[in-house]
Amino acid sequence: MDLRLDEDLLAGCVSCGLCLPHCPTFRVTGEERYSPRGRIESMRQVHLGGRDADASFLDVVDTCVQCRGCETACPSGVQFGRLMEATREALVEETSYQPAWRSLPLRAVGRHRLLLAGSSLLALAQRLHLVPSARLGLPKLPLRRRKLRQTGRDVWLFTGCVMDAWQRDVHAAVKRVVEASGAGVALPGPDAACCGALHTHAGLGDQARALARRTMAAFPGDAPILVDSAGCGAQMKDYGHLLGTPEAEAFAARVRDVHEWLAERLDRLPEPKAGHARPTVAVQDPCHLRHVQRAHLPVRAVLGRYADVVELDDEGLCCGAGGAYSVFQRDLSLDIRARKVAAIERAGAPVVASANPGCQLHLVAAGVDARHPLELVDEAIHG
Ligand code: SF4
Ligand code: SF4
């Protein structure tokens, strides 16, 4: 089957195996087929060798978290993410890889009012004990959300889909920190409701491209676009590749992870409020910040002004959240998370900072006190 792969990229893997220890699914299964090298070999067999895209192939594709820890570990520079995204898009078009029960909820994610209403209903059902939240790994959802108000046009704040519905208080904290640095914050309308990351990861390329075009139109001008979710930031920085237009390249160049932007303005951030006790905080690097954006160090620069930062000893191994992965690959996701929780326990810090909502909620569901880094900074500045 034609997986529409760049054969130069496919040929780049020399099968050295140096990426294997950095692959979460290989670490928890010990199986070659669940390693980056095994997955690339399976892609070669299907794309070049005439093997069917059968159930076992769909399994090795679907079990990949798309964390891209293999990319930062690979000495040959293999762009595994590009290979996996192209494979999934080809599978969606040629097979039943994404049945309707998996793809339809993703359509709702891009319709913001529907998402907000659905989240509020789910929150109500939680209060009435109609939803097994603990078993589903759901946080306690808000019944109401405070409206965010625009304070200027120096920078945009991307608010997104599920994060805006479930964690608007995090956006509010991020906005207060950005404003404390002296910048006025502009907010997009509902058309910026979804960056399309979940769709790209699922292989739903047409939906992802439509959402990317809609998002770009929602941020006119040339002000920087700050993103407080690592997964969304990684996606929006990749719009140039996704859409292949100069406009998309120019848009992507405006996108910054909010910590990157703040780390360049540390001298403008206020001192901690009088009496603030510096907490000890372990930093969990979201894969899409560390391995994709390669912008995990600014989190330490910003947080380190207000907290004693502790490193985990697992070299940025994935936590197993992976967007919808924790729903569709529940057992693997929990096995991967158990390794992360063990690393957090070894670090001994009472609080964990994670700059991606999916990772943060995945850790909270395991009983970890995980917060967005800028929530902690906001508390230090404003009390
Ligand atoms: S992806 Fe890179 S590190 Fe992994 S086996 Fe291939 S060449 Fe080696
Ligand atoms: S993206 Fe992550 S889960 Fe997938 S093969 Fe690479 S390291 Fe393994």
Side-chain angles (χ1 to χ4, degrees):
M1 177 184 153
D2 180 5
L3 294 176
R4 292 165 228 166
L5 298 178
D6 179 330
E7 290 179 15
D8 289 339
L9 287 188
L10 202 53
C13 175
V14 295
S15 303
C16 65
L18 290 174
C19 53
L20 268 59
H22 302 271
C23 174
T25 55
F26 178 75
R27 290 289 286 270
V28 299
T29 64
E31 292 189 40
E32 174 73 16
R33 65 192 169 127
Y34 294 134
S35 75
R37 183 173 64 186
R39 291 187 168 105
I40 290 171
E41 178 55 28
S42 293
M43 290 175 194
R44 282 179 178 146
Q45 289 171 3
V46 171
H47 185 67
L48 303 171
R51 174 184 159 189
D52 286 340
D54 54 13
S56 68
F57 181 67
L58 298 192
D59 177 55
V60 300
V61 169
D62 208 37
T63 50
C64 171
V65 199
Q66 297 186 90
C67 68
R68 290 165 65 175
C70 46
E71 282 193 14
T72 41
C74 175
S76 303
V78 171
Q79 295 179 41
F80 185 86
R82 294 269 185 261
L83 293 171
M84 182 53 74
E85 285 168 10
T87 295
R88 289 188 179 203
E89 194 166 340
L91 290 175
V92 164
E93 289 172 19
E94 302 288 338
T95 72
S96 57
Y97 168 56
Q98 288 293 359
W101 64 271
R102 277 173 54 152
S103 60
L104 282 179
L106 291 180
R107 285 187 187 275
V109 164
R111 302 175 67 178
H112 203 51
R113 288 192 182 90
L114 182 66
L115 180 67
L116 293 179
S119 294
S120 297
L121 278 177
L122 192 54
L124 184 62
Q126 284 183 321
R127 304 304 188 276
L128 297 172
H129 305 287
L130 299 176
V131 180
S133 299
R135 189 153 53 81
L136 297 175
L138 279 177
K140 186 176 179 186
L141 303 182
L143 278 168
R144 296 176 180 203
R145 301 163 198 89
R146 275 181 296 176
K147 189 169 171 53
L148 301 175
R149 301 201 181 279
Q150 182 156 314
T151 53
R153 303 199 72 85
D154 297 314
V155 294
W156 291 94
L157 178 64
F158 177 77
T159 47
C161 54
V162 178
M163 188 173 178
D164 190 52
W166 292 11
Q167 295 188 300
R168 191 175 289 170
D169 285 349
V170 175
H171 287 324
V174 169
K175 185 168 167 283
R176 283 192 294 271
V177 173
V178 171
E179 287 161 357
S181 77
V185 177
L187 299 164
D191 277 354
C194 180
C195 65
L198 293 173
H199 308 76
T200 295
H201 294 165
L204 302 168
D206 289 341
Q207 287 185 41
R209 283 182 282 275
L211 288 167
R213 287 188 203 96
R214 203 179 74 172
T215 299
M216 284 169 52
F219 294 93
D222 55 9
I225 300 158
L226 307 187
V227 186
D228 56 10
S229 156
C232 305
Q235 172 78 358
M236 292 162 71
K237 285 182 177 182
D238 204 34
Y239 278 180
H241 169 76
L242 185 67
L243 297 180
T245 64
E247 293 77 19
E249 292 281 1
F251 178 90
R254 292 168 58 202
V255 177
R256 309 292 307 278
D257 181 78
V258 65
H259 305 90
E260 277 183 292
W261 188 85
L262 285 170
E264 292 164 2
R265 292 161 180 79
L266 280 184
D267 56 336
R268 299 188 203 167
L269 281 173
E271 295 295 319
K273 197 175 167 81
H276 172 74
R278 281 176 75 85
T280 301
V281 179
V283 176
Q284 180 265 334
D285 289 324
C287 296
H288 283 75
L289 199 57
R290 179 165 175 148
H291 303 303
V292 183
Q293 296 189 53
R294 307 197 183 189
H296 56 300
L297 297 179
V299 173
R300 291 152 176 77
V302 177
L303 191 57
R305 261 176 79 88
Y306 304 95
D308 294 326
V309 172
V310 175
E311 297 292 343
L312 303 185
D313 62 4
D314 63 357
E315 297 182 78
L317 197 67
C318 177
C319 72
Y325 189 87
S326 60
V327 177
F328 297 133
Q329 296 290 342
R330 187 94 186 126
D331 292 345
L332 271 176
S333 168
L334 295 181
D335 288 349
I336 295 168
R337 185 178 68 184
R339 298 183 79 94
K340 180 63 74 180
V341 171
I344 289 168
E345 288 170 355
R346 287 195 298 276
V351 183
V352 174
S354 175
N356 190 59
C359 309
Q360 185 209 340
L361 294 176
H362 194 49
L363 293 175
V364 166
V368 175
D369 185 4
R371 315 278 302 279
H372 192 283
L374 296 191
E375 282 188 291
L376 299 169
V377 171
D378 179 51
E379 281 177 14
I381 294 174
H382 299 111

